[in-house]
Amino acid sequence: MAALRATRQILQTVTGHGWRSHCSKAAQNLNIGKPGAGFSFELTDEQKEFQATARKFAVEEIVPVAAQYDKTGEYPVPLIKRAWELGLMNSHIPESCGGLGLGSFEACLITEELAYGCTGVQTAIEANSLGQMPVIIAGNEHQQKKYLGRMTEEPIMCAYCVTEPGAGSDVAGIKTKAEKKGDEYVINGQKMWITNGGKANWYFLLARTDPDPKAPASKAFTGFIVEADSPGIQIGRKEMNMGQRCSDTRGIVFEDVRVPKENVLIAEGAGFKIAMGAFDKTRPPVAAGAVGLAKRALEEATKYALERKTFGKAIVEHQAVSFLLAEMAMKVELARMAYQRAAWEVDAGRRNTYYASIAKAFAGDIANQVATDAVQIFGGNGFNTEYPVEKLMRDAKIYQIYEGTAQIQRMIIAREHVGKFKAQGNV
């Protein structure tokens, strides 16, 4: 409790408001239901304060050490502790569990700023939100207080255990099985590419409970909360990835792991819907992270273009370079609007599948394009590790892969678009 009180005091000092005033009640932050309140791009004072706090933390504490964490692959424990102290992680945890209960929009504002500093650090922090989300949307009061509540007491991590060696985009292809024996389930299987896998205190795990291979995904899988120190869990080696290297990514083996029936979310067979529902809530912050990276790439490229001279003038004065910067700026601004719309839909209580996939796909694509263009503007220097943009280019690629590939997002967008078109009576 002392840690939580400290967090509240810090937020009060930073913002000048009580910490509970930052909770994202839809009617407060979205102007829903207020007469004459229409479309607006203006942030509330509270949103501006959270954004400024995250920006200050990223610039002053993340940026100076990001390159070193990238080289070593070391997990950024000091930064995670500091983010927790500042109230910049676990933002979705409801007040009833001791959290701040921020909305998706506020979480995205924070995420963009953290990603500006380093997306490896931001991913380690944001993975908590993905692991927590199934419990937030489907956990009962006891489950939420037990597993979300402990995360407000100290800076501990959790993880989302769904992907397997043979089941990434094809979630229905999951092989991990859970067999009910008395008041417990016995879990056997292997998970792969689990962010925070070796650092988590507990996992959300998706496993097959219906042995019938023809059973529909909507009934075949069950979601479990699994304590990370349960007997039978074997944590694999840390994977050294192309980018976001300080994020902890591992394979995990579950061998006769016993989980009490009290740790089932909703009921047996509800897991697939829970797992997919979590993505609607977490894809906007992923898109926001991609925007943060793209913004950093744009700023680094602009600064370099103003300093670097060729043919007697700064390269920004060459139309070829200035037009490249213009294209980069357009992409950053439009991607930001996409994630903000997707987050706004969540906070308004609407189904946001369509907008979440648009935001995730577009922001992931432009992050790669903008980072690549930044390297181009830097020329040979951009290909060198002494300059920041080569890291940005490596870090960007995963945004087209994790939490649903760019191709999966297009499948979802097409399905949602055609469905809406038909529902409007156009067919």
Side-chain angles (χ1 to χ4, degrees), residues 62-74 246 391:
I62 298 179
V63 171
V65 296
Q68 183 62 22
Y69 277 117
D70 179 63
K71 290 177 183 177
T72 65
E74 181 184 354
C246 69
K391 175 183 180 296

Side-chain angles (χ1 to χ4, degrees), residues 13-245:
T13 300
V14 170
T15 64
H17 299 278
W19 71 282
R20 290 188 184 276
S21 71
H22 297 277
C23 298
S24 181
K25 305 295 192 297
Q28 292 175 347
N29 285 353
L30 300 177
N31 293 323
I32 292 175
K34 291 185 178 180
F39 191 70
S40 174
F41 288 104
E42 185 65 31
L43 300 180
T44 66
D45 289 341
E46 290 82 3
Q47 289 167 344
K48 291 176 182 177
E49 294 290 357
F50 269 110
Q51 185 183 55
T53 301
R55 181 176 298 153
K56 186 174 188 293
F57 172 59
V59 171
E60 296 182 1
E61 301 187 47
I62 298 179
V63 171
V65 296
Q68 183 62 22
Y69 277 117
D70 179 63
K71 290 177 183 177
T72 65
E74 181 184 354
Y75 196 65
V77 174
L79 293 175
I80 288 173
K81 287 182 176 179
R82 181 61 175 152
W84 182 83
E85 290 171 354
L86 290 170
L88 298 177
M89 60 185 287
N90 305 325
S91 61
H92 296 292
I93 294 179
E95 287 184 274
S96 60
C97 298
L100 295 176
L102 298 187
S104 181
F105 195 94
E106 287 77 23
C108 286
L109 293 177
I110 292 169
T111 296
E112 178 182 339
E113 300 304 328
L114 297 182
Y116 175 95
C118 173
T119 55
V121 174
Q122 175 265 316
T123 293
I125 292 172
E126 188 59 36
N128 258 16
S129 296
L130 180 58
Q132 295 162 4
M133 196 54 66
V135 182
I136 292 173
I137 67 176
N140 58 39
E141 183 179 358
H142 173 73
Q143 291 168 338
Q144 289 186 349
K145 287 187 179 297
K146 181 177 180 179
Y147 291 101
L148 300 178
R150 70 174 64 166
M151 306 193 87
T152 68
E153 296 297 325
E154 58 181 315
I156 59 177
M157 314 306 286
C158 64
Y160 183 89
C161 273
V162 173
T163 301
E164 297 185 359
S169 296
D170 181 17
V171 177
I174 284 175
K175 303 297 183 185
T176 297
K177 296 179 180 179
E179 182 181 358
K180 190 173 184 181
K181 292 187 177 181
D183 290 337
E184 296 179 318
Y185 285 83
V186 179
I187 298 174
N188 285 280
Q190 182 180 1
K191 298 296 182 178
M192 190 60 195
W193 308 118
I194 306 304
T195 304
N196 286 347
K199 306 297 180 180
N201 177 268
W202 55 269
Y203 307 117
F204 165 74
L205 180 135
L206 190 66
R208 176 177 285 274
T209 46
D210 190 331
D212 183 359
K214 295 183 180 179
S218 59
K219 298 180 180 180
F221 301 99
T222 300
F224 298 89
I225 303 171
V226 182
E227 297 276 6
D229 61 358
S230 300
I233 293 179
Q234 303 168 34
I235 299 173
R237 65 180 175 86
K238 173 183 167 64
E239 301 292 335
M240 290 305 295
N241 295 323
M242 173 182 177
Q244 301 194 4
R245 290 175 174 170

